[in-house]
Amino acid sequence: MIATGSFGMGPIEELMELLKDYQLLIVCGHNHSLFERLKPLANKKAHILGLVDNMDELMSVSDVMVTKPGGLSIAEALVKKLPMIFFSAIPGQETNNIKVLSSYEVSQGQSTLPQISETIHEWHSNPKNLDALRHRLSELSKPNAVADIISLL
């Protein structure tokens, strides 16, 4: 899955070309011009979506999410135990998100397009490494955090 953030940012066409051997779900968010630009590139392996309301379902059928490191995307991916590779981070909070997750070794930090492609190929070729990453994600994930906090109050 390639999630471009709600405003559809990033070098998506180039990323699609590098990952053309994999099945892709590309979520363009509010960026209608990106959606229109990518729509003609859709094929059996590349599914182009605009703003969606079923991100949880898309994450459930994905092996990896290439995304901007926004807080909501990270929280959803942690709950789904979905490995993340980050690109196009906005300086400040998003770069800090990368530092924190990288320190727990549960994501691939700010990556160039070739690094994204190499990482996905490596994870695809070595499923045990991907399983180990999912295990670390499950240790960090707190899907019941709100209920736990409420019970403490």
Side-chain angles (χ1 to χ4, degrees), residues 91-120:
Q93 185 62 48
E94 289 188 354
T95 53
N96 288 334
N97 289 345
I98 290 173
K99 288 177 189 173
V100 169
L101 291 173
S102 294
S103 73
Y104 285 102
E105 298 180 357
V106 296
S107 69
Q108 184 70 28
Q110 178 81 355
S111 298
T112 64
L113 297 183
Q115 289 170 329
I116 291 169
S117 177
E118 289 170 19
T119 299
I120 289 175

Side-chain angles (χ1 to χ4, degrees), residues 1-5 15 55 59 65-70 73-74 77 83-89 98 108 110 116:
M1 168 188 287
I2 300 173
T4 65
L15 193 52
M55 197 64 160
M59 287 180 164
M65 182 168 67
V66 179
T67 188
K68 290 176 43 41
S73 296
I74 290 170
M84 297 164 273
I85 302 173
F86 298 122
F87 71 101
S88 297
I98 290 173
Q108 184 70 28
Q110 178 81 355
I116 291 169

Side-chain angles (χ1 to χ4, degrees), residues 7 51 55 60-61 101 107 144:
F7 296 106
L51 184 64
M55 197 64 160
S60 291
V61 299
L101 291 173
S107 69
N144 299 317

Side-chain angles (χ1 to χ4, degrees), residues 2 11-22 24 26 41 46 113 117:
I2 300 173
I12 308 306
E13 289 95 332
E14 297 91 341
L15 193 52
M16 284 179 68
E17 180 60 30
L18 285 172
L19 300 175
K20 65 184 173 194
D21 294 333
Y22 299 96
L24 303 174
I26 301 167
L41 304 176
L113 297 183
S117 177

Side-chain angles (χ1 to χ4, degrees), residues 5 17 23 29 37 42 56 65 75-76 81 100 109 123 137 139:
E17 180 60 30
Q23 184 172 358
R37 218 171 56 233
D56 62 318
M65 182 168 67
E76 290 175 313
K81 297 163 194 65
V100 169
W123 286 348
L137 283 163
E139 291 175 344

